[in-house]
């Protein structure tokens, strides 16, 4: 009974840093979108909407993007645009929007209007 190694699984050490960072960013973006209710047909009635959680995830995403932007190359632009879209969606969703520069992640990215 010899087990053959699963060749579909890559060793973490073999994955380029830009891919690890990009995947983490996409996961954070997806989580933020879910927590903003954007995955539902009617975001305003989404049972998954949790703005406190969305704020945390967007802030973590902003920190990751800001700290790693120099390594992302051509991926930087789309990831930054996604982050800004989430920051705007958060502002639009909030009953009492934060002042510019005080929203989630804006201490890292600067104000998003």
């Amino acid at each position: 009974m010899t087990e053959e190694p699963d060749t579909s699984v890559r060793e973490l050490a073999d994955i380029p840093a830009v891919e690890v960072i990009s995947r983490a960013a996409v996961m954070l973006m997806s989580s933020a979108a879910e927590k903003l209710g954007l995955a539902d047909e009617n975001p305003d009635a989404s049972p998954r909407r949790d703005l406190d959680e969305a704020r945390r995830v967007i802030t973590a995403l902003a920190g990751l993007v800001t700290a790693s932007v120099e390594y992302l190359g051509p991926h930087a632009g789309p990831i930054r645009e996604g982050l800004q879209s989430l920051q705007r969606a958060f502002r639009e969703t909030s009953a009492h929007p934060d002042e510019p520069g005080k929203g989630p992640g804006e201490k890292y990215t600067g104000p998003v209007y």
Side-chain angles (χ1 to χ4, degrees):
M1 220 164 134
T2 58
E3 289 187 34
E4 302 228 359
D6 184 357
T7 57
S8 66
V9 177
R10 292 169 43 188
E11 291 292 326
L12 193 55
D14 296 335
I15 302 172
V18 68
E19 190 175 333
V20 173
I21 295 165
S22 296
R23 284 184 183 191
V26 168
M27 182 181 295
L28 290 167
M29 281 189 229
S30 297
S31 175
E34 288 278 348
K35 293 179 186 312
L36 289 171
L38 300 176
D40 292 323
E41 192 171 311
N42 181 0
D44 293 330
S46 173
R48 293 193 257 314
R49 181 177 277 177
D50 185 335
L51 296 182
D52 186 47
E53 286 285 303
R55 177 184 296 278
R56 293 173 187 179
V57 176
I58 293 169
T59 299
L61 173 62
L64 174 65
V65 171
T66 301
S68 60
V69 71
E70 68 182 289
Y71 308 115
L72 294 174
H75 303 281
I79 291 173
R80 277 184 161 168
E81 289 171 15
L83 169 59
Q84 289 174 354
S85 293
L86 290 165
Q87 289 171 311
R88 279 191 220 94
F90 184 93
R91 177 164 280 120
E92 291 169 7
T93 301
S94 298
H96 304 284
D98 298 313
E99 298 174 33
K102 301 289 185 186
E106 291 183 11
K107 70 180 180 180
Y108 301 113
T109 64
V112 175
Y113 301 95

